[in-house]
Amino acid sequence: MTSRDGHLLPTWLDQAEAAGFQPLRSLARGMRQDIDAVTAGLALDWNSGCAEGKVNRIKRIKRDGYGRAGSDLLRLQILHAN
């Protein structure tokens, strides 16, 4: 994945679908449904990791205060969390 070899994906998918391991074949079929996005994810330098990290942080804060914190307190926790 770190070598940005997205152009090799179709060959790998063919091999995975030919394998006798059902979960691997299912994964390969699912990846083919959005092959352009998967190939771009393997070939391009940029990603959404930073945004996903922020979303996960907010979800954790929300879960921590579930049932105890109102929206005002939740807003403060998100704005001032480490």
Side-chain angles (χ1 to χ4, degrees), residues 18-47:
F21 189 56
Q22 179 57 33
L24 187 58
R25 291 191 336 229
S26 178
L27 172 68
R29 282 193 304 269
M31 291 173 81
R32 284 198 192 275
Q33 291 178 356
D34 199 3
I35 190 72
D36 291 337
V38 176
T39 303
L42 292 171
L44 302 176
D45 289 334
W46 57 272
N47 62 54

mmCIF file of all heavy atoms in Angstrom, residues 18-47:
data_model
loop_
_atom_site.group_PDB
_atom_site.id
_atom_site.type_symbol
_atom_site.label_atom_id
_atom_site.label_comp_id
_atom_site.label_asym_id
_atom_site.label_seq_id
_atom_site.Cartn_x
_atom_site.Cartn_y
_atom_site.Cartn_z
ATOM 1 N N ALA A 18 -10.340 -15.830 -7.679
ATOM 2 C CA ALA A 18 -10.057 -17.208 -8.078
ATOM 3 C C ALA A 18 -9.684 -18.085 -6.881
ATOM 4 O O ALA A 18 -9.697 -19.316 -6.988
ATOM 5 C CB ALA A 18 -8.918 -17.226 -9.096
ATOM 6 N N ALA A 19 -9.384 -17.479 -5.755
ATOM 7 C CA ALA A 19 -8.990 -18.233 -4.564
ATOM 8 C C ALA A 19 -10.191 -19.002 -4.007
ATOM 9 O O ALA A 19 -11.346 -18.651 -4.248
ATOM 10 C CB ALA A 19 -8.447 -17.289 -3.502
ATOM 11 N N GLY A 20 -9.914 -20.030 -3.250
ATOM 12 C CA GLY A 20 -10.977 -20.841 -2.678
ATOM 13 C C GLY A 20 -11.493 -20.321 -1.350
ATOM 14 O O GLY A 20 -12.365 -20.927 -0.743
ATOM 15 N N PHE A 21 -11.010 -19.180 -0.895
ATOM 16 C CA PHE A 21 -11.381 -18.624 0.410
ATOM 17 C C PHE A 21 -12.518 -17.634 0.228
ATOM 18 O O PHE A 21 -12.347 -16.540 -0.303
ATOM 19 C CB PHE A 21 -10.142 -17.972 1.039
ATOM 20 C CG PHE A 21 -10.322 -17.558 2.455
ATOM 21 C CD1 PHE A 21 -10.715 -18.459 3.427
ATOM 22 C CD2 PHE A 21 -10.087 -16.251 2.829
ATOM 23 C CE1 PHE A 21 -10.869 -18.073 4.738
ATOM 24 C CE2 PHE A 21 -10.239 -15.858 4.139
ATOM 25 C CZ PHE A 21 -10.629 -16.769 5.097
ATOM 26 N N GLN A 22 -13.730 -18.026 0.637
ATOM 27 C CA GLN A 22 -14.939 -17.241 0.375
ATOM 28 C C GLN A 22 -14.873 -15.800 0.886
ATOM 29 O O GLN A 22 -15.254 -14.884 0.154
ATOM 30 C CB GLN A 22 -16.163 -17.956 0.951
ATOM 31 C CG GLN A 22 -17.467 -17.212 0.767
ATOM 32 C CD GLN A 22 -17.786 -16.883 -0.682
ATOM 33 O OE1 GLN A 22 -17.451 -17.618 -1.599
ATOM 34 N NE2 GLN A 22 -18.422 -15.755 -0.898
ATOM 35 N N PRO A 23 -14.408 -15.539 2.119
ATOM 36 C CA PRO A 23 -14.357 -14.139 2.561
ATOM 37 C C PRO A 23 -13.463 -13.261 1.672
ATOM 38 O O PRO A 23 -13.788 -12.100 1.422
ATOM 39 C CB PRO A 23 -13.796 -14.229 3.977
ATOM 40 C CG PRO A 23 -14.182 -15.587 4.447
ATOM 41 C CD PRO A 23 -14.087 -16.460 3.217
ATOM 42 N N LEU A 24 -12.372 -13.804 1.163
ATOM 43 C CA LEU A 24 -11.494 -13.044 0.283
ATOM 44 C C LEU A 24 -12.176 -12.779 -1.055
ATOM 45 O O LEU A 24 -12.081 -11.677 -1.602
ATOM 46 C CB LEU A 24 -10.181 -13.810 0.075
ATOM 47 C CG LEU A 24 -9.081 -13.091 -0.679
ATOM 48 C CD1 LEU A 24 -8.703 -11.787 0.008
ATOM 49 C CD2 LEU A 24 -7.867 -13.986 -0.816
ATOM 50 N N ARG A 25 -12.885 -13.759 -1.568
ATOM 51 C CA ARG A 25 -13.631 -13.563 -2.824
ATOM 52 C C ARG A 25 -14.714 -12.503 -2.646
ATOM 53 O O ARG A 25 -14.929 -11.660 -3.510
ATOM 54 C CB ARG A 25 -14.241 -14.870 -3.290
ATOM 55 C CG ARG A 25 -13.185 -15.853 -3.743
ATOM 56 C CD ARG A 25 -13.723 -17.071 -4.464
ATOM 57 N NE ARG A 25 -15.081 -17.445 -4.199
ATOM 58 C CZ ARG A 25 -15.476 -18.676 -3.895
ATOM 59 N NH1 ARG A 25 -14.586 -19.648 -3.810
ATOM 60 N NH2 ARG A 25 -16.734 -18.946 -3.697
ATOM 61 N N SER A 26 -15.376 -12.530 -1.495
ATOM 62 C CA SER A 26 -16.421 -11.540 -1.223
ATOM 63 C C SER A 26 -15.831 -10.137 -1.127
ATOM 64 O O SER A 26 -16.411 -9.171 -1.639
ATOM 65 C CB SER A 26 -17.133 -11.914 0.083
ATOM 66 O OG SER A 26 -18.099 -10.964 0.405
ATOM 67 N N LEU A 27 -14.675 -10.007 -0.485
ATOM 68 C CA LEU A 27 -14.000 -8.709 -0.405
ATOM 69 C C LEU A 27 -13.654 -8.195 -1.798
ATOM 70 O O LEU A 27 -13.899 -7.028 -2.111
ATOM 71 C CB LEU A 27 -12.725 -8.829 0.447
ATOM 72 C CG LEU A 27 -11.829 -7.599 0.466
ATOM 73 C CD1 LEU A 27 -12.510 -6.456 1.198
ATOM 74 C CD2 LEU A 27 -10.493 -7.929 1.107
ATOM 75 N N ALA A 28 -13.117 -9.049 -2.628
ATOM 76 C CA ALA A 28 -12.742 -8.646 -3.983
ATOM 77 C C ALA A 28 -13.963 -8.191 -4.784
ATOM 78 O O ALA A 28 -13.912 -7.174 -5.486
ATOM 79 C CB ALA A 28 -12.039 -9.803 -4.688
ATOM 80 N N ARG A 29 -15.063 -8.920 -4.669
ATOM 81 C CA ARG A 29 -16.290 -8.518 -5.378
ATOM 82 C C ARG A 29 -16.787 -7.169 -4.881
ATOM 83 O O ARG A 29 -17.223 -6.325 -5.660
ATOM 84 C CB ARG A 29 -17.372 -9.582 -5.224
ATOM 85 C CG ARG A 29 -17.161 -10.781 -6.123
ATOM 86 C CD ARG A 29 -18.395 -11.662 -6.184
ATOM 87 N NE ARG A 29 -18.835 -12.101 -4.870
ATOM 88 C CZ ARG A 29 -18.451 -13.227 -4.279
ATOM 89 N NH1 ARG A 29 -17.609 -14.033 -4.885
ATOM 90 N NH2 ARG A 29 -18.908 -13.554 -3.095
ATOM 91 N N GLY A 30 -16.725 -6.945 -3.581
ATOM 92 C CA GLY A 30 -17.150 -5.661 -3.024
ATOM 93 C C GLY A 30 -16.272 -4.507 -3.483
ATOM 94 O O GLY A 30 -16.758 -3.412 -3.759
ATOM 95 N N MET A 31 -14.973 -4.759 -3.578
ATOM 96 C CA MET A 31 -14.055 -3.707 -4.028
ATOM 97 C C MET A 31 -14.305 -3.349 -5.484
ATOM 98 O O MET A 31 -14.152 -2.193 -5.879
ATOM 99 C CB MET A 31 -12.609 -4.160 -3.833
ATOM 100 C CG MET A 31 -12.219 -4.250 -2.368
ATOM 101 S SD MET A 31 -10.593 -4.972 -2.128
ATOM 102 C CE MET A 31 -9.564 -3.559 -2.454
ATOM 103 N N ARG A 32 -14.723 -4.311 -6.278
ATOM 104 C CA ARG A 32 -15.013 -4.035 -7.695
ATOM 105 C C ARG A 32 -16.219 -3.114 -7.864
ATOM 106 O O ARG A 32 -16.346 -2.440 -8.890
ATOM 107 C CB ARG A 32 -15.246 -5.330 -8.458
ATOM 108 C CG ARG A 32 -13.980 -6.071 -8.750
ATOM 109 C CD ARG A 32 -14.225 -7.084 -9.858
ATOM 110 N NE ARG A 32 -13.125 -8.013 -9.980
ATOM 111 C CZ ARG A 32 -12.023 -7.793 -10.679
ATOM 112 N NH1 ARG A 32 -11.862 -6.646 -11.302
ATOM 113 N NH2 ARG A 32 -11.076 -8.702 -10.750
ATOM 114 N N GLN A 33 -17.095 -3.068 -6.878
ATOM 115 C CA GLN A 33 -18.284 -2.217 -6.988
ATOM 116 C C GLN A 33 -17.918 -0.737 -7.033
ATOM 117 O O GLN A 33 -18.660 0.065 -7.573
ATOM 118 C CB GLN A 33 -19.242 -2.493 -5.835
ATOM 119 C CG GLN A 33 -19.885 -3.852 -5.937
ATOM 120 C CD GLN A 33 -20.810 -4.144 -4.770
ATOM 121 O OE1 GLN A 33 -20.928 -3.361 -3.828
ATOM 122 N NE2 GLN A 33 -21.464 -5.284 -4.824
ATOM 123 N N ASP A 34 -16.782 -0.368 -6.434
ATOM 124 C CA ASP A 34 -16.329 1.027 -6.488
ATOM 125 C C ASP A 34 -14.834 1.047 -6.800
ATOM 126 O O ASP A 34 -14.031 1.615 -6.079
ATOM 127 C CB ASP A 34 -16.627 1.738 -5.178
ATOM 128 C CG ASP A 34 -16.619 3.249 -5.319
ATOM 129 O OD1 ASP A 34 -16.438 3.733 -6.451
ATOM 130 O OD2 ASP A 34 -16.788 3.944 -4.312
ATOM 131 N N ILE A 35 -14.486 0.399 -7.888
ATOM 132 C CA ILE A 35 -13.085 0.187 -8.249
ATOM 133 C C ILE A 35 -12.324 1.494 -8.423
ATOM 134 O O ILE A 35 -11.151 1.587 -8.063
ATOM 135 C CB ILE A 35 -12.973 -0.701 -9.520
ATOM 136 C CG1 ILE A 35 -11.525 -1.133 -9.755
ATOM 137 C CG2 ILE A 35 -13.532 0.007 -10.731
ATOM 138 C CD1 ILE A 35 -11.033 -2.142 -8.789
ATOM 139 N N ASP A 36 -12.979 2.543 -8.931
ATOM 140 C CA ASP A 36 -12.281 3.820 -9.132
ATOM 141 C C ASP A 36 -11.835 4.420 -7.800
ATOM 142 O O ASP A 36 -10.703 4.899 -7.675
ATOM 143 C CB ASP A 36 -13.169 4.814 -9.881
ATOM 144 C CG ASP A 36 -13.407 4.415 -11.327
ATOM 145 O OD1 ASP A 36 -12.571 3.655 -11.873
ATOM 146 O OD2 ASP A 36 -14.414 4.846 -11.897
ATOM 147 N N ALA A 37 -12.709 4.387 -6.804
ATOM 148 C CA ALA A 37 -12.365 4.949 -5.500
ATOM 149 C C ALA A 37 -11.278 4.129 -4.815
ATOM 150 O O ALA A 37 -10.356 4.683 -4.209
ATOM 151 C CB ALA A 37 -13.603 5.023 -4.612
ATOM 152 N N VAL A 38 -11.367 2.817 -4.901
ATOM 153 C CA VAL A 38 -10.369 1.954 -4.267
ATOM 154 C C VAL A 38 -9.013 2.145 -4.939
ATOM 155 O O VAL A 38 -7.985 2.274 -4.258
ATOM 156 C CB VAL A 38 -10.802 0.471 -4.319
ATOM 157 C CG1 VAL A 38 -9.723 -0.421 -3.736
ATOM 158 C CG2 VAL A 38 -12.107 0.271 -3.578
ATOM 159 N N THR A 39 -8.994 2.211 -6.263
ATOM 160 C CA THR A 39 -7.738 2.423 -6.984
ATOM 161 C C THR A 39 -7.139 3.775 -6.630
ATOM 162 O O THR A 39 -5.930 3.890 -6.403
ATOM 163 C CB THR A 39 -7.959 2.323 -8.503
ATOM 164 O OG1 THR A 39 -8.518 1.046 -8.801
ATOM 165 C CG2 THR A 39 -6.668 2.490 -9.264
ATOM 166 N N ALA A 40 -7.965 4.802 -6.556
ATOM 167 C CA ALA A 40 -7.467 6.132 -6.185
ATOM 168 C C ALA A 40 -6.896 6.120 -4.771
ATOM 169 O O ALA A 40 -5.866 6.746 -4.510
ATOM 170 C CB ALA A 40 -8.594 7.160 -6.293
ATOM 171 N N GLY A 41 -7.543 5.419 -3.869
ATOM 172 C CA GLY A 41 -7.040 5.333 -2.501
ATOM 173 C C GLY A 41 -5.686 4.669 -2.413
ATOM 174 O O GLY A 41 -4.872 4.985 -1.541
ATOM 175 N N LEU A 42 -5.420 3.754 -3.322
ATOM 176 C CA LEU A 42 -4.128 3.068 -3.346
ATOM 177 C C LEU A 42 -3.070 3.820 -4.149
ATOM 178 O O LEU A 42 -1.878 3.571 -3.990
ATOM 179 C CB LEU A 42 -4.289 1.665 -3.930
ATOM 180 C CG LEU A 42 -5.080 0.680 -3.079
ATOM 181 C CD1 LEU A 42 -5.352 -0.586 -3.866
ATOM 182 C CD2 LEU A 42 -4.342 0.374 -1.798
ATOM 183 N N ALA A 43 -3.492 4.722 -5.036
ATOM 184 C CA ALA A 43 -2.551 5.348 -5.956
ATOM 185 C C ALA A 43 -2.223 6.798 -5.616
ATOM 186 O O ALA A 43 -1.145 7.275 -5.964
ATOM 187 C CB ALA A 43 -3.100 5.268 -7.378
ATOM 188 N N LEU A 44 -3.119 7.507 -4.961
ATOM 189 C CA LEU A 44 -2.918 8.933 -4.718
ATOM 190 C C LEU A 44 -2.270 9.196 -3.359
ATOM 191 O O LEU A 44 -2.384 8.391 -2.432
ATOM 192 C CB LEU A 44 -4.248 9.676 -4.825
ATOM 193 C CG LEU A 44 -4.966 9.527 -6.161
ATOM 194 C CD1 LEU A 44 -6.310 10.230 -6.130
ATOM 195 C CD2 LEU A 44 -4.108 10.074 -7.297
ATOM 196 N N ASP A 45 -1.613 10.339 -3.244
ATOM 197 C CA ASP A 45 -0.901 10.684 -2.007
ATOM 198 C C ASP A 45 -1.816 11.206 -0.904
ATOM 199 O O ASP A 45 -1.489 11.099 0.267
ATOM 200 C CB ASP A 45 0.163 11.750 -2.298
ATOM 201 C CG ASP A 45 1.324 11.188 -3.080
ATOM 202 O OD1 ASP A 45 1.568 9.973 -2.984
ATOM 203 O OD2 ASP A 45 1.987 11.966 -3.788
ATOM 204 N N TRP A 46 -2.936 11.808 -1.233
ATOM 205 C CA TRP A 46 -3.764 12.422 -0.206
ATOM 206 C C TRP A 46 -4.800 11.441 0.323
ATOM 207 O O TRP A 46 -5.133 10.458 -0.314
ATOM 208 C CB TRP A 46 -4.453 13.678 -0.743
ATOM 209 C CG TRP A 46 -5.284 13.442 -1.956
ATOM 210 C CD1 TRP A 46 -4.876 13.472 -3.255
ATOM 211 C CD2 TRP A 46 -6.672 13.094 -1.987
ATOM 212 N NE1 TRP A 46 -5.916 13.176 -4.092
ATOM 213 C CE2 TRP A 46 -7.041 12.939 -3.338
ATOM 214 C CE3 TRP A 46 -7.636 12.906 -1.012
ATOM 215 C CZ2 TRP A 46 -8.332 12.613 -3.718
ATOM 216 C CZ3 TRP A 46 -8.923 12.583 -1.416
ATOM 217 C CH2 TRP A 46 -9.246 12.445 -2.748
ATOM 218 N N ASN A 47 -5.317 11.741 1.536
ATOM 219 C CA ASN A 47 -6.354 10.910 2.140
ATOM 220 C C ASN A 47 -7.189 11.748 3.093
ATOM 221 O O ASN A 47 -6.890 12.922 3.328
ATOM 222 C CB ASN A 47 -5.741 9.701 2.855
ATOM 223 C CG ASN A 47 -4.840 10.102 3.994
ATOM 224 O OD1 ASN A 47 -5.238 10.845 4.875
ATOM 225 N ND2 ASN A 47 -3.613 9.625 3.974
#
